[in-house]
Amino acid sequence: MTGPKRPGRAAETGSAAAVARSSDTAEMAEYGISVGQRVAVIWDSSSPVEGLKNLVAKIQALVGPESRISVENIDQLSHSAHAESSFDVVLSGMVPGSMTLHSAEVLAEIARILKPGGRVLLKEPVAAQIGDNNRIKTAARLLTALTLSGLVEVKELQKEPLTPEETQSVQEHLGYQGNDLLSVQMEGKKPNFEVGSSSQLKLSFAKKSASSGKPAVDPAAAKLWTLSANDMDDEGMDLLDSDELLDSEDLKKPDPSSLRAPSCKESGKKKACKNCTCGLAEDLEQEKKESLQPKSACGNCYLGDAFRCASCPYMGMPAFKPGEKILLAENNLHDA
């Protein structure tokens, strides 16, 4: 009697391969990747080559041969000349073993090349608190950086300690010697519109018809704010006489002198008012002219032209007594 046949080695191998493909498909589905999408994979110097190849092969098997996968080095991403809104999904630092750090410029470029509604998944080592190494961010700062780059619905997916291999990679590529780092994976989406896009607002400025105009007013409320002639004739309403509000002092005629505004001189001002009529402006102008009168440098000005200097302001004027007040016109005043 012959027992049931055992599956051959080829069948076992095929079954294992099918399970592996199913696992890879489920993993890529977690990344939000589906058939026909355009995907960008970003790597850096810490990314193992074999890990990068395996990740690209898994994505290619999922999106199909018609879709092209773009593999970009993080340092050359801004020089890759990708058009805006080129990719449905961007994976950065997702290569197993990668210790990728994302600068604000890199995050902004990722947001630029994403399609509206596209997703980005990234993994980055973070510190529990801010230390001496300014390049390594905390999880909170990484979340803020993603938000400031223009992404929305930013959230943390998982956080786990570094493996020994990842710790060694951090020490080699980032120069960090601490043992408090964690690996955090975050997700973000681009808004469903392009940065700088515009849309016309549908506004109606037409006048409303009478039927759809002002809301109905409660008659009881309107009556409270209505004053009619009948209300004024109410015998129970006391009206005040405005003349009774004035007392005897209010009826006295005021003294005209008390109504006159004090002059500039009386108020003790040292500066005349605009359009001054009390004479203070003329007095101040006269004092200014007197202060500008020159003083004799040689002491011979009063003797006459024969004794005066060539630049004397009194040249051409008759002799005068010593100490006598002589006023000169302003056009005769110049530097001696």
Side-chain angles (χ1 to χ4, degrees), residues 274-320:
K274 187 177 182 181
N275 300 326
C276 177
T277 58
C278 67
L280 180 60
E282 289 79 359
D283 294 344
L284 293 177
E285 184 67 23
Q286 184 66 24
E287 291 178 3
K288 181 180 178 182
K289 289 183 179 180
E290 292 179 359
S291 65
L292 294 176
Q293 297 302 313
K295 295 182 179 180
S296 175
C298 61
N300 299 327
C301 300
Y302 70 96
L303 296 175
D305 289 349
F307 300 91
R308 293 170 181 161
C309 305
S311 59
C312 181
Y314 297 100
M315 186 66 71
M317 297 182 62
F320 51 88

Coordinates of all heavy atoms in Angstrom, one line a residue, residues 274-320:
K274 N 1.5 131.9 17.3 CA 1.3 132.1 15.9 C 0.3 133.2 15.7 O -0.7 133.2 16.4 CB 0.9 130.8 15.2 CG 0.9 130.9 13.7 CD 0.5 129.5 13.1 CE 0.5 129.6 11.6 NZ 0.2 128.3 11.0
N275 N 0.5 134.2 14.7 CA -0.4 135.3 14.5 C -0.5 136.1 15.8 O -1.6 136.5 16.2 CB -1.8 134.8 14.0 CG -1.7 134.0 12.8 OD1 -0.9 134.3 11.9 ND2 -2.5 133.0 12.6
C276 N 0.6 136.4 16.5 CA 0.6 137.2 17.7 C 0.1 138.6 17.5 O 0.6 139.2 16.5 CB 2.0 137.2 18.3 SG 2.2 138.1 19.8
T277 N -0.8 139.1 18.3 CA -1.3 140.5 18.2 C -1.0 141.3 19.4 O -1.4 142.5 19.4 CB -2.8 140.4 18.0 OG1 -3.4 139.7 19.1 CG2 -3.2 139.7 16.7
C278 N -0.3 140.8 20.4 CA 0.0 141.6 21.6 C 1.3 142.3 21.6 O 1.6 143.0 22.5 CB 0.0 140.6 22.9 SG 1.3 139.4 22.9
G279 N 2.1 142.1 20.5 CA 3.4 142.9 20.4 C 4.6 142.1 20.9 O 5.7 142.6 20.7
L280 N 4.4 140.9 21.4 CA 5.5 140.1 21.9 C 6.4 139.7 20.7 O 7.6 139.6 20.8 CB 5.1 138.9 22.7 CG 6.2 138.0 23.2 CD1 7.1 138.7 24.1 CD2 5.6 136.8 23.9
A281 N 5.8 139.4 19.6 CA 6.6 138.9 18.4 C 7.5 140.0 17.9 O 8.7 139.7 17.6 CB 5.6 138.5 17.3
E282 N 7.0 141.3 17.9 CA 7.9 142.4 17.5 C 9.0 142.6 18.5 O 10.2 142.9 18.1 CB 7.0 143.7 17.4 CG 6.1 143.7 16.2 CD 4.8 142.9 16.4 OE1 4.7 142.3 17.6 OE2 3.9 142.8 15.6
D283 N 8.7 142.5 19.8 CA 9.8 142.7 20.8 C 10.9 141.6 20.7 O 12.1 141.9 20.7 CB 9.2 142.7 22.2 CG 8.2 143.8 22.4 OD1 8.3 144.8 21.7 OD2 7.4 143.7 23.4
L284 N 10.4 140.4 20.4 CA 11.4 139.3 20.3 C 12.3 139.5 19.0 O 13.5 139.2 19.0 CB 10.7 138.0 20.3 CG 10.0 137.5 21.6 CD1 9.3 136.2 21.4 CD2 11.0 137.4 22.7
E285 N 11.6 140.0 18.0 CA 12.4 140.2 16.7 C 13.4 141.3 16.9 O 14.5 141.3 16.4 CB 11.4 140.6 15.6 CG 12.0 140.7 14.2 CD 12.6 139.4 13.7 OE1 12.1 138.4 14.1 OE2 13.5 139.5 12.8
Q286 N 13.0 142.4 17.7 CA 13.9 143.5 17.9 C 15.1 143.0 18.8 O 16.3 143.4 18.5 CB 13.2 144.6 18.6 CG 14.0 145.9 18.8 CD 14.4 146.6 17.5 OE1 13.7 146.4 16.5 NE2 15.5 147.3 17.5
E287 N 14.9 142.2 19.8 CA 15.9 141.7 20.6 C 16.9 140.8 19.8 O 18.1 140.8 20.0 CB 15.4 140.9 21.7 CG 14.6 141.7 22.8 CD 14.0 140.8 23.9 OE1 14.2 139.6 23.8 OE2 13.3 141.4 24.7
K288 N 16.3 140.1 18.8 CA 17.2 139.3 18.0 C 18.1 140.1 17.1 O 19.3 139.8 17.0 CB 16.3 138.4 17.1 CG 17.0 137.5 16.2 CD 16.1 136.6 15.3 CE 16.8 135.7 14.4 NZ 15.9 134.9 13.5
K289 N 17.5 141.2 16.6 CA 18.4 142.1 15.7 C 19.5 142.7 16.6 O 20.6 142.9 16.1 CB 17.5 143.2 15.1 CG 16.6 142.7 14.0 CD 15.8 143.8 13.4 CE 14.9 143.3 12.3 NZ 14.1 144.4 11.7
E290 N 19.2 143.1 17.8 CA 20.2 143.8 18.6 C 21.3 142.8 19.0 O 22.4 143.2 19.1 CB 19.5 144.3 19.9 CG 18.6 145.5 19.6 CD 17.9 146.0 20.9 OE1 18.2 145.4 22.0 OE2 17.2 147.0 20.8
S291 N 20.9 141.5 19.2 CA 21.9 140.5 19.5 C 22.8 140.2 18.4 O 23.9 139.8 18.6 CB 21.2 139.3 20.0 OG 20.5 138.7 19.0
L292 N 22.4 140.5 17.2 CA 23.2 140.3 16.0 C 24.1 141.4 15.6 O 24.9 141.3 14.7 CB 22.3 140.0 14.8 CG 21.5 138.7 14.9 CD1 20.6 138.6 13.7 CD2 22.4 137.5 15.0
Q293 N 24.0 142.6 16.3 CA 24.9 143.7 16.0 C 26.3 143.4 16.3 O 26.6 142.8 17.4 CB 24.4 145.0 16.8 CG 23.0 145.4 16.5 CD 22.9 145.8 15.0 OE1 23.7 146.5 14.5 NE2 21.8 145.3 14.4
P294 N 27.2 143.7 15.5 CA 28.6 143.3 15.6 C 29.3 144.2 16.7 O 28.9 145.3 17.0 CB 29.3 143.6 14.3 CG 28.4 144.7 13.7 CD 27.0 144.4 14.2
K295 N 30.3 143.6 17.3 CA 31.2 144.3 18.3 C 32.5 144.7 17.6 O 33.0 143.9 16.8 CB 31.5 143.4 19.5 CG 30.2 143.1 20.3 CD 30.5 142.3 21.5 CE 29.3 142.0 22.4 NZ 29.6 141.2 23.6
S296 N 32.9 145.9 17.9 CA 34.2 146.4 17.3 C 35.4 145.6 17.8 O 35.6 145.4 19.0 CB 34.4 147.8 17.7 OG 35.6 148.3 17.1
A297 N 36.2 145.1 16.8 CA 37.4 144.3 17.1 C 38.6 145.3 17.3 O 39.4 144.9 18.1 CB 37.7 143.4 16.0
C298 N 38.6 146.4 16.7 CA 39.7 147.3 16.8 C 39.4 148.5 17.8 O 40.4 149.2 18.3 CB 40.1 147.9 15.5 SG 38.8 148.8 14.7
G299 N 38.1 148.8 18.0 CA 37.8 149.9 18.9 C 37.8 151.2 18.2 O 37.6 152.2 18.9
N300 N 38.0 151.3 16.9 CA 38.1 152.6 16.2 C 36.9 152.8 15.3 O 36.9 153.8 14.5 CB 39.4 152.6 15.4 CG 40.6 152.5 16.3 OD1 40.6 153.0 17.4 ND2 41.7 151.9 15.8
C301 N 35.9 152.0 15.3 CA 34.8 152.1 14.4 C 34.1 153.4 14.6 O 33.6 154.0 13.6 CB 33.8 151.0 14.6 SG 34.5 149.3 14.4
Y302 N 33.9 154.0 15.8 CA 33.2 155.2 16.0 C 33.9 156.4 15.4 O 33.3 157.5 15.2 CB 32.9 155.4 17.5 CG 34.1 155.7 18.3 CD1 34.5 157.1 18.6 CD2 35.0 154.7 18.8 CE1 35.6 157.4 19.3 CE2 36.1 155.0 19.5 CZ 36.4 156.4 19.8 OH 37.5 156.7 20.5
L303 N 35.2 156.3 15.1 CA 36.0 157.5 14.7 C 35.7 157.9 13.2 O 35.9 159.0 12.8 CB 37.5 157.2 14.8 CG 38.0 157.0 16.3 CD1 39.4 156.6 16.3 CD2 37.7 158.3 17.1
G304 N 35.2 156.9 12.4 CA 34.9 157.2 11.0 C 35.7 156.3 10.1 O 36.5 155.4 10.5
D305 N 35.4 156.5 8.7 CA 36.0 155.5 7.7 C 37.5 155.5 7.7 O 38.1 154.5 7.4 CB 35.5 155.9 6.3 CG 34.0 155.5 6.2 OD1 33.5 154.8 7.1 OD2 33.4 155.9 5.2
A306 N 38.2 156.7 8.1 CA 39.6 156.8 8.0 C 40.3 155.8 9.0 O 41.4 155.4 8.8 CB 40.1 158.2 8.2
F307 N 39.5 155.5 10.1 CA 40.1 154.6 11.1 C 39.5 153.2 11.1 O 39.9 152.4 12.0 CB 39.8 155.3 12.5 CG 40.4 156.6 12.6 CD1 39.7 157.8 12.3 CD2 41.8 156.8 13.1 CE1 40.3 159.0 12.4 CE2 42.3 158.1 13.2 CZ 41.5 159.2 12.9
R308 N 38.6 152.9 10.2 CA 38.0 151.6 10.2 C 38.7 150.6 9.3 O 39.4 151.0 8.3 CB 36.5 151.8 9.7 CG 35.7 152.6 10.6 CD 34.3 152.9 10.0 NE 33.5 153.7 11.0 CZ 32.5 154.5 10.6 NH1 32.1 154.5 9.4 NH2 31.8 155.1 11.6
C309 N 38.5 149.3 9.6 CA 39.1 148.2 8.8 C 38.4 148.2 7.5 O 37.3 148.7 7.3 CB 39.0 146.9 9.5 SG 39.7 146.9 11.2
A310 N 39.0 147.4 6.5 CA 38.4 147.3 5.2 C 37.1 146.6 5.2 O 36.2 146.8 4.4 CB 39.4 146.7 4.2
S311 N 37.0 145.6 6.2 CA 35.7 144.8 6.3 C 34.8 145.3 7.4 O 33.9 144.6 7.7 CB 36.1 143.3 6.5 OG 36.9 143.2 7.7
C312 N 35.0 146.5 7.8 CA 34.2 147.0 8.9 C 32.7 147.2 8.5 O 32.5 147.7 7.4 CB 34.7 148.3 9.4 SG 33.8 149.0 10.8
P313 N 31.7 146.7 9.2 CA 30.3 146.8 8.8 C 29.8 148.2 8.9 O 28.8 148.5 8.3 CB 29.6 145.9 9.8 CG 30.5 145.8 11.0 CD 31.9 145.8 10.5
Y314 N 30.6 149.1 9.6 CA 30.2 150.5 9.7 C 30.7 151.4 8.6 O 30.6 152.6 8.6 CB 30.6 151.1 11.0 CG 30.0 150.4 12.2 CD1 30.7 149.5 13.0 CD2 28.7 150.8 12.6 CE1 30.1 148.8 14.1 CE2 28.1 150.2 13.7 CZ 28.8 149.2 14.4 OH 28.2 148.6 15.5
M315 N 31.5 150.8 7.6 CA 32.1 151.5 6.5 C 31.0 152.3 5.8 O 30.0 151.7 5.4 CB 32.8 150.5 5.6 CG 33.6 151.2 4.5 SD 35.0 152.2 5.2 CE 36.1 150.9 5.7
G316 N 31.3 153.5 5.5 CA 30.4 154.4 4.8 C 29.4 155.2 5.7 O 28.7 156.0 5.2
M317 N 29.4 154.9 7.0 CA 28.5 155.6 7.9 C 29.3 156.7 8.6 O 30.5 156.6 8.8 CB 28.0 154.6 9.0 CG 27.1 153.5 8.4 SD 26.4 152.4 9.6 CE 25.4 153.5 10.5
P318 N 28.6 157.7 9.0 CA 29.3 158.8 9.7 C 29.8 158.4 11.1 O 29.4 157.3 11.6 CB 28.2 159.9 9.8 CG 27.0 159.1 9.8 CD 27.2 158.0 8.9
A319 N 30.8 159.1 11.6 CA 31.3 158.8 12.9 C 30.2 159.0 14.0 O 29.2 159.7 13.8 CB 32.5 159.8 13.2
F320 N 30.4 158.3 15.1 CA 29.4 158.3 16.1 C 30.1 158.3 17.5 O 31.3 158.0 17.6 CB 28.4 157.2 16.0 CG 29.0 155.8 15.9 CD1 29.3 155.1 17.1 CD2 29.3 155.2 14.7 CE1 29.9 153.9 17.0 CE2 29.9 154.0 14.6 CZ 30.2 153.3 15.8

